[in-house]
Amino acid sequence: MLVARNDMTGADRAWAARYDPADTVQYIRGSQQLGLERNSYATVVATDPANNRVTVARADGQQVAYDPQRLRGVNVYTSLPREFSTGDRIQFTHNNKDLDVHNRDRGRIEAIGNDNRLTVKMDDGRTVNFDPAPMRHFDHGYAVTSHSSQGLTEDRVLVNMDTNTFSELLNPRFAYVSVSRASEDAHIYTNDAATLAQRLSTDVSKTSALDFNEAPAAHSQSQTPKEHTMQQHNELQPEQPSPLTPEQAERNRQYGPIETALPTEAQVYKWQRETDGIHSYQHPETHRWLHIDSQGQFFDRHAQPITRENALGQAGHSLTQSVAENAQSPTGSGLNLNGYGFTL
């Protein structure tokens, strides 16, 4: 299997020094000059940090040397051995157009053929069959991150809360999402129970400029005693909204993106899953899909940003519907690429 390298951003090292021999390189954009096709793979055979050169072997055996700093749209992976058996739970770690699977989709191995091809029953009911030699973007699916577990439900959940991890990763949202995945039982394992509660109280909420209100104007000197008393009473007893149940909060999280982006059509779509922050909805009659993130950005089925018009066209909406809904949506068709993908 292929595991993404997480140490590729060292600014104090030459670009070539960030690669290791035997690394697998995926070329998202490709390079016509170097003879590297889009989404093709190559293996690092040598590095030359002094001259900032990397030499890779393409699938056809030909070797190519280049300056890695001048080539963009590249993913670098380390190959790790894994053993799989019939009945194992697996999760995909990369989008695959041919199999129609997305990053973090999960399933169970139903059969392993004599040619080593895997037959996997996906959690959504589909069955996919593939050769694990060229398609190595999958791993065991028994443990997932809190982020990728959103939208999932399991009978029993074991949660690892390591207080030595980064403070931004251990917070109330992480705890709520992790524990609420369990329908029957949840167990928390930690290295330091004494400080866990304090670490989980870390506030990671982001505040935008729109969240700040102007300071209230000074009270008028002409207020009568009665007006002043009534104002004090209202300030001491502000109206408190009714707290949401966990089910209501989960429902708002799932349907919030489409209700914001498509207020007149949201009620006919059914939420299916969330993958890396992108919510997927399906129309129960046409069986067509919409993929939207919490910022109102639309995506195609391969998690690539597309315009609102293209997304609605693929979902079978008319142009009239698109214009009307766009006028009502506060997000419009704005493009937000923050947090989607890491490329060199």
Side-chain angles (χ1 to χ4, degrees):
M1 62 161 290
L2 299 178
V3 178
R5 288 277 300 275
N6 59 6
D7 57 348
M8 299 297 295
T9 58
D12 58 336
R13 296 186 297 163
W15 282 76
R18 306 175 191 184
Y19 292 75
D20 291 327
D23 278 350
T24 298
V25 186
Q26 180 187 23
Y27 301 94
I28 305 298
R29 303 178 185 176
S31 170
Q32 184 175 2
Q33 180 181 2
L34 297 175
L36 299 170
E37 298 181 359
R38 290 171 58 92
N39 290 318
S40 64
Y41 293 83
T43 303
V44 177
V45 295
T47 63
D48 183 3
N51 297 306
N52 201 30
R53 305 285 289 180
V54 169
T55 302
V56 301
R58 301 184 315 206
D60 60 5
Q62 296 293 319
Q63 294 190 3
V64 179
Y66 61 90
D67 178 356
Q69 188 172 1
R70 300 177 62 85
L71 195 60
R72 305 289 173 167
V74 174
N75 291 331
V76 184
Y77 301 93
T78 298
S79 296
L80 295 178
R82 287 286 191 271
E83 294 183 357
F84 296 91
S85 301
T86 303
D88 278 351
R89 292 279 292 167
I90 68 170
Q91 60 179 327
F92 291 91
T93 57
H94 197 278
N95 298 333
N96 187 285
K97 180 179 180 180
D98 295 333
L99 296 178
D100 193 21
V101 296
H102 300 80
N103 184 25
R104 301 308 172 190
D105 279 356
R106 299 197 303 164
R108 187 179 301 277
I109 298 177
E110 287 193 326
I112 301 178
N114 294 330
D115 55 358
N116 286 329
R117 292 184 66 89
L118 301 182
T119 300
V120 178
K121 181 66 173 295
M122 303 298 295
D123 286 355
D124 61 8
R126 297 181 298 118
T127 298
V128 298
N129 181 276
F130 64 94
D131 183 353
M135 169 52 188
R136 293 183 286 167
H137 293 285
F138 65 97
D139 197 358
H140 290 114
Y142 296 102
V144 298
T145 64
S146 172
H147 177 75
S148 61
S149 72
Q150 298 186 64
L152 301 179
T153 300
E154 298 289 348
D155 293 340
R156 293 173 176 80
V157 170
L158 307 179
V159 185
N160 176 40
M161 296 188 181
D162 186 352
T163 60
N164 291 326
T165 191
F166 295 106
S167 59
E168 295 83 0
L169 300 179
L170 203 60
N171 54 67
R173 296 179 186 173
F174 161 79
Y176 170 76
V177 172
S178 302
V179 175
S180 62
R181 299 310 91 197
S183 61
E184 296 183 10
D185 188 44
H187 284 263
I188 297 175
Y189 294 85
T190 181
N191 61 309
D192 190 349
T195 62
L196 180 61
Q198 181 180 358
R199 289 295 306 277
L200 288 177
S201 65
T202 303
D203 186 8
V204 294
S205 300
K206 295 181 179 179
T207 305
S208 67
L210 297 178
D211 294 324
F212 289 95
N213 295 323
E214 295 182 359
H219 296 304
S220 172
Q221 297 291 336
S222 60
Q223 279 185 318
T224 65
K226 181 178 180 180
E227 290 173 339
H228 183 67
T229 301
M230 293 181 64
Q231 181 174 351
Q232 283 186 322
H233 178 75
N234 291 333
E235 291 175 348
L236 291 175
Q237 295 182 343
E239 182 178 353
Q240 297 292 333
S242 301
L244 296 178
T245 65
E247 291 77 13
Q248 291 172 326
E250 182 72 0
R251 189 266 175 202
N252 289 348
R253 184 188 66 79
Q254 293 175 353
Y255 285 91
I258 192 171
E259 289 178 344
T260 300
L262 298 174
T264 62
E265 292 289 331
Q267 66 273 12
V268 301
Y269 280 88
K270 182 179 179 181
W271 183 92
Q272 295 291 351
R273 59 175 178 263
E274 179 185 2
T275 305
D276 288 348
I278 302 176
H279 294 261
S280 298
Y281 308 88
Q282 188 176 33
H283 196 289
E285 296 180 358
T286 65
H287 302 292
R288 296 192 178 185
W289 292 80
L290 282 172
H291 310 281
I292 316 171
D293 69 5
S294 59
Q295 306 300 319
Q297 170 63 45
F298 290 84
F299 295 81
D300 63 17
R301 66 193 185 104
H302 305 297
Q304 298 301 312
I306 59 176
T307 65
R308 177 188 180 86
E309 289 72 22
N310 286 342
L312 297 180
Q314 294 176 12
H317 290 256
S318 66
L319 181 61
T320 303
Q321 287 176 310
S322 175
V323 172
E325 290 162 349
N326 193 53
Q328 297 182 48
S329 172
T331 59
S333 56
L335 181 63
N336 179 5
L337 298 179
N338 292 335
Y340 293 99
F342 169 76
T343 56
L344 296 176

